[in-house]
Structures are given as structure tokens and as C-alpha cells.
Amino acid sequence: MDEKAYLREYAANKLGVPIDQMRKFEVYKRSLDARNKPDIFYIYSIRFLSDDEEKILNNNRKNKNLRMVKKQVMYEARLTQLRQFADTGIVVVGSGPAGLFAAYALALRGLRPIVIERGAPMEERVEEVERFWREGSVNEECNVCFGEGGAGTFSDGKLNSGVKDRDGSKRFILETFVRFGANRELLYDAKPHIGTDVLRTVIINMRKAMEKQGCVFLFHTKYVGVEKRGDRVSGVWVKQGEVRDTIPCEYLVLAIGHSARDTFEKLKEQRIELCAKPFAVGVRVQHRQSDIDRAQYGIEGALPAAAYKMTGKASDGRGVYSFCMCPGGYVVNASTESGGLLVNGMSNVGRDSGYANAAIVVTVEPEDGVEYQRKLEKSMYDIADGKIPVQRYSEFKDGEKSNALSTNQPSVKGQWTYADVAGALPEDIVTAVCEAIDQFGRKIKGFDAEDTLILGVESRTSSPVRIIREEDSLESVSLPGLYPCGEGAGYAGGILSAAMDGLRVAERIGEKLLANG
């Protein structure tokens, strides 16, 4: 008997309802309860329709877990058609989750947005990234951060967000991923995870469907500036190879990623208002997945690869926390500029590498900004000649170079070498990271073990700037018709929240079209 059939039979017996009267039965949510390890179990929330729901409620008055569900808000119900505006010029800069979902929502409404992307389409991008990992020479226009799908394509693929789904947009995004090839479990897992391998296929399928709806994708096409007529947007300047051109448009969605440093400079030159915002820097730590499983579950091998999320405070008062934890994943070389090196974490849907990694990061002041990131990345590149530098935690604390690893071998994508990671970081960052790891070791046994691996540097946790926009219209305060959007613009922090911001921007453009007639 499969999971759904078993749950339906169990619920029917528990509630005293004939099984054939439980219509449209579905698993709504599933979470793992590991509070009393090793006594671990799944908690399911299920939904169904029945002909006599009031009677079922009366017969189960003492069951506090049974209730009538409010009518679910459906995002699609708000997607009124705008085909009468199909010839309106709309350009979306960036094909990460924010840009992709902004364009998708517009295309569903009958519009024909043009999506420009500085990097390559997915098929070509994957080949380019794998070449970089083998050979070590970065393509500054197509890499782990730039290209179709954005930086999230080479990540853990988490799809959870603390934002409440009041308008149905979160559900719509998850359903879209499932429609284009993701596992249906995304719709009900408490911590949905798509995996980088599945996400690539989903994005390709999504692009092909959008093209059939009239959406145009221009790859290897770089934003170089916004054209203005009077006090609003009239076009976007682009560069394809050495050829410069202008694409006319009335609405410009700026869904750049958190690493688009050259774009930030161009916006500043054109007096588009932006400001520095807080971010964090640190290192990646790696453990054997079996050790994390044992610490989190009390057992190992019988359950999904265990995750963790922790926060603390350094002695200087700054926040320290784990970020982008990747169960069963890899540490990847995520460099975007020649002469600089940074790392990120990535997991496939199976989370089966045998190793767990996460960033341990420290908050830094907003004014530190891009140049602070660059300085750290250059230092990390120099100490390891462009390879990922690796150091045991015991030597990281003592400032020594490590040449002896245990069974905790680097699980990486890209070339790596032993190096003095601590020596390439500011002393205050090293101190705060060590304090964090020691604190977390009191919560997860073995987290601070001598053979915990330290890999550096994690410097792109979020965008260091925010492109200022109006709270209601979501347009730039500097230029009507320009819509800063997603993580790179400073309004999201992950795949799901960026996609939700893309939907919000698309909705505001639709409202503006209708208002202007």
C-alpha cells in the first residue's frame, strides 16, 4: 500500500468515515518530529471533502486536530488577461527566480516580455561550469552565479520561506515547479527541497513553455544601462559580444543577482538610488553526514539526510549563524571574477554525497560593501592559487596549515588544496567563526571536532546593496518604469522569496497597464 492510500485508510478509521466518502483526499503537509530521539516519526496534515462534513465534525468534537478548512486563496484567480496590452514593451533583466517568475506571470496574462540574460542557457551553462571546476579558469559572464536560473541553480535548492502565503503565490510557485518536472512532495513537505539536478530540468521546461506563450529569451545579452525619455524608462542598453544595441521598452524589471557588481556601478553612474545593506561573511564547514544524522536523530541511515539551523552571538556582540545548510551536499567553487575565490553549498535531490556542509557567517557593517567582499576573495585566491582552500578546524583555530585529513575528505566541486584559511581572513572574522563553531558544538555533538573541515570564503550570502523602490508601486524612487526585483536588488533571500517578489512586481505592472488604459 502506498503512502497516500495508507493515510486515507488510517484517517477514515480514525474519524469513523466510510473511505469512499473521503473525496479529493490529499497530503497537505508532512514534517519530521525528532524532538524525542531516537523515537522519531512523521507528522501528516491531510485534507479531504465529504458529503456530510458537519456530521463528521460533530462526531469528532474531542479531536482538536480536525477542523473545517477555509477556502484556499488561489493565485491564478488574480491573473486577469491583459492581451490588449500584448504589444507593450516589457524587458526583464535576469533569468533567476525573480526574473523568471516575473516574466512567467506576465506571459500567463497574455503579455510578451523579453528576458535578457548575460550568461548562457542552462544546457550550455552547465557545461561551462563543469569545465571551470575541472580547469579553474572562470568565465566572468557565465558561471555559478550568472546564467539561466541564477545562482540558485547551483545551490541546495531549498524552497522554504518564513513569509506567510496570504495570496497563494507560494503555492503557485511550488505547483509551477511540479508542473515542469519536480517531485510532487514539494507541495507538502514542511522543508521542500528541489535539488540542483532537478531544478535545471524544471527551468529548461519552464523556458520552453514560456517561449510558446510569446516570451522571448536573449542569452549572452548584458545590461549596460537604462535609456530614459523625459522622466521615465524608454529602453534598455545591451551588449551582445562587442555589439551594443537598444531594446525599446516602457517597463524594465531589474532582477539582477546578488553578484552583479558591474551592474550596481552602472546604476550608480546613472543616478539610480541605491544604498548599502547589512550582509555576512565567513566560511563553509564540512562534516560527515553520518555524524550529523546521529547527532540530530540519535540514529543514522534510516532517515533523510539531517539538516540543522543555528544562531549565536560572538563576544564582540555580532550575530553568528549557519546559512544555506546542505545535507548530503558539496562545497562548490562559486567564483565570478578572475583573481578572486569564493565558495557556496550545493545538493542534488538525493542528498547522497555522504557529507554535510553549511556556511558559518558573521554579520558585517553595510559600509564594508563590495570592496570588502573583493578583498577577502582575492586573499583566498592568492593563498591557494585559485583552488578551494581547505583546513582542519584544529589548525584553523591555531592558524596553521593542515596536511592531514581523516575520513572527513573534502566533498567539493572544483579543484582544492590544503591552505591556511584563517591566515587569509581578518582576525575578528576568525575569532567570531571559532566562537560560533564552539557554541554550536554544545548543541550538535562533534560539530567542533578537530577534523571538521573549514573551506573559504563564504562572501555572497546576500546582496550588499539595495536598489531603493517605492513601497506600494515597487518602482524605483529614481525612475518610473524601472522595477528593482529579487535578491540582487535587496528584496529577497532565497529561491522562493525571490520568485514571490517577481510575482509581486508582475502584478504591479499589470495594475499600471490597466490604470493607464
Side-chain angles (χ1 to χ4, degrees):
M1 185 181 294
D2 65 20
E3 177 186 63
K4 186 174 180 180
Y6 171 80
L7 290 169
R8 190 177 184 211
E9 183 177 298
Y10 179 87
N13 292 333
K14 185 78 174 176
L15 299 174
V17 180
I19 197 167
D20 60 355
Q21 289 188 24
M22 302 183 81
R23 295 180 285 105
K24 293 189 177 181
F25 185 94
E26 66 172 353
V27 178
Y28 180 69
K29 188 175 182 181
R30 179 179 66 185
S31 58
L32 191 63
D33 189 333
R35 289 174 293 181
N36 299 311
K37 48 183 173 285
D39 183 18
I40 298 170
F41 50 88
Y42 282 104
I43 298 175
Y44 287 84
S45 296
I46 56 96
R47 287 183 172 184
F48 65 93
L49 295 177
S50 184
D51 294 330
D52 200 345
E53 294 174 351
E54 289 294 341
K55 181 179 179 180
I56 294 172
L57 287 169
N58 288 332
N59 290 344
N60 292 273
R61 286 189 298 273
K62 294 182 179 180
N63 189 335
K64 296 181 180 180
N65 294 318
L66 182 66
R67 60 187 176 86
M68 193 79 76
V69 178
K70 294 180 181 179
K71 187 175 181 180
Q72 187 173 358
V73 177
M74 302 301 291
Y75 178 82
E76 296 95 319
R78 299 180 11 233
L79 294 178
T80 54
Q81 282 300 308
L82 300 170
R83 295 186 188 279
Q84 67 271 36
F85 304 107
D87 294 330
T88 303
I90 304 173
V91 173
V92 177
V93 181
S95 64
L100 193 65
F101 273 89
Y104 183 56
L106 293 168
L108 287 178
R109 301 180 76 171
L111 302 171
R112 295 194 290 266
I114 297 172
V115 180
I116 66 171
E117 167 59 56
R118 68 192 296 170
M122 187 64 69
E123 302 89 336
E124 182 183 337
R125 182 188 181 197
V126 170
E127 290 183 6
E128 179 59 33
V129 169
E130 290 177 346
R131 181 205 61 77
F132 163 60
W133 286 339
R134 287 192 310 271
E135 301 173 8
S137 177
V138 66
N139 180 337
E140 295 190 351
E141 300 300 335
C142 182
N143 45 59
V144 169
C145 293
F146 300 148
E148 185 177 21
T153 303
F154 297 93
S155 71
D156 182 59
K158 292 182 184 67
L159 296 176
N160 51 299
S161 169
V163 181
K164 289 189 177 181
D165 194 19
R166 292 188 175 91
D167 62 359
S169 59
K170 186 185 297 186
R171 178 78 177 187
F172 171 77
I173 293 164
L174 296 179
E175 288 177 344
T176 300
F177 282 133
V178 171
R179 186 177 306 119
F180 291 111
N183 193 303
R184 188 169 178 78
E185 290 180 353
L186 285 184
L187 300 180
Y188 55 82
D189 267 341
K191 297 179 179 179
H193 161 251
I194 191 169
T196 184
D197 46 349
V198 173
L199 183 58
R200 297 172 193 176
T201 300
V202 167
I203 289 172
I204 292 171
N205 292 340
M206 196 171 172
R207 181 229 306 160
K208 291 178 178 178
M210 291 167 68
E211 288 174 331
K212 289 181 180 178
Q213 292 169 328
C215 188
V216 176
F217 285 80
L218 300 177
F219 295 103
H220 303 292
T221 303
K222 187 174 180 177
Y223 168 96
V224 293
V226 57
E227 183 175 78
K228 309 171 189 177
R229 181 177 296 126
D231 64 348
R232 65 172 293 113
V233 167
S234 62
V236 56
W237 301 328
V238 300
K239 186 177 180 182
Q240 296 172 311
E242 296 303 314
V243 178
R244 291 177 177 266
D245 198 1
T246 301
I247 303 175
C249 66
E250 299 172 50
Y251 298 89
L252 179 60
V253 179
L254 202 59
I256 56 177
H258 60 40
S259 295
R261 293 166 169 173
D262 50 357
T263 307
F264 298 148
E265 288 299 321
K266 289 180 172 61
L267 291 169
K268 191 175 179 181
E269 290 170 6
Q270 290 199 279
R271 298 185 179 180
I272 303 300
E273 188 173 346
L274 37 77
C275 66
K277 61 177 280 291
F279 63 106
V281 299
V283 298
R284 281 266 150 189
V285 298
Q286 181 192 293
H287 301 88
R288 288 173 289 270
Q289 184 64 52
S290 58
D291 292 341
I292 300 299
D293 291 348
R294 196 159 44 248
Q296 296 293 77
Y297 296 148
I299 56 175
E300 58 178 278
L303 293 164
Y308 59 79
K309 184 177 182 180
M310 292 180 292
T311 60
K313 183 172 285 190
S315 57
D316 63 5
R318 287 189 292 175
V320 289
Y321 56 95
S322 64
F323 173 79
C324 187
M325 193 271 161
C326 299
Y330 305 89
V331 178
V332 305
N333 188 333
S335 303
T336 62
E337 297 177 345
S338 299
L341 183 135
L342 64 134
V343 294
N344 192 18
M346 181 183 89
S347 297
N348 290 326
V349 69
R351 287 177 163 172
D352 53 5
S353 74
Y355 296 92
N357 73 76
I360 303 298
V361 293
V362 187
T363 56
V364 296
E365 293 302 317
E367 56 265 26
D368 291 338
V370 169
E371 290 311 311
Y372 183 75
Q373 291 177 327
R374 275 204 175 109
K375 182 179 178 181
L376 297 182
E377 292 163 14
K378 184 181 185 306
S379 296
M380 212 58 61
Y381 182 95
D382 290 344
I383 63 161
D385 195 27
K387 300 180 178 67
I388 297 173
V390 180
Q391 190 172 29
R392 281 163 53 98
Y393 180 51
S394 57
E395 281 82 22
F396 181 82
K397 288 173 70 174
D398 297 332
E400 298 177 4
K401 182 179 177 180
S402 176
N403 287 300
L405 300 179
S406 64
T407 55
N408 189 11
Q409 294 289 318
S411 174
V412 303
K413 296 291 185 180
Q415 301 172 3
W416 65 273
T417 187
Y418 306 110
D420 182 10
V421 179
L425 291 171
E427 185 177 344
D428 63 320
I429 298 297
V430 174
T431 298
V433 167
C434 289
E435 290 174 348
I437 292 175
D438 290 345
Q439 287 176 40
F440 301 158
R442 293 191 284 274
K443 300 176 182 178
I444 296 180
K445 185 178 179 181
F447 197 89
D448 55 349
E450 289 189 355
D451 68 345
T452 295
L453 297 187
I454 307 294
L455 306 93
V457 58
E458 179 88 21
S459 54
R460 311 275 183 93
T461 53
S462 65
S463 176
V465 305
R466 175 171 289 120
I467 306 168
I468 310 301
R469 69 188 187 187
E470 299 285 356
E471 187 173 342
D472 293 329
S473 71
L474 306 187
E475 290 178 285
S476 164
V477 297
S478 307
L479 185 63
L482 178 65
Y483 291 81
C485 180
E487 188 164 354
Y491 296 98
I495 295 173
L496 189 60
S497 61
M500 292 173 73
D501 199 50
L503 294 180
R504 280 193 291 271
V505 164
E507 191 168 342
R508 294 297 184 277
I509 291 174
E511 291 169 356
K512 185 63 71 75
L513 286 169
L514 289 169
N516 293 342

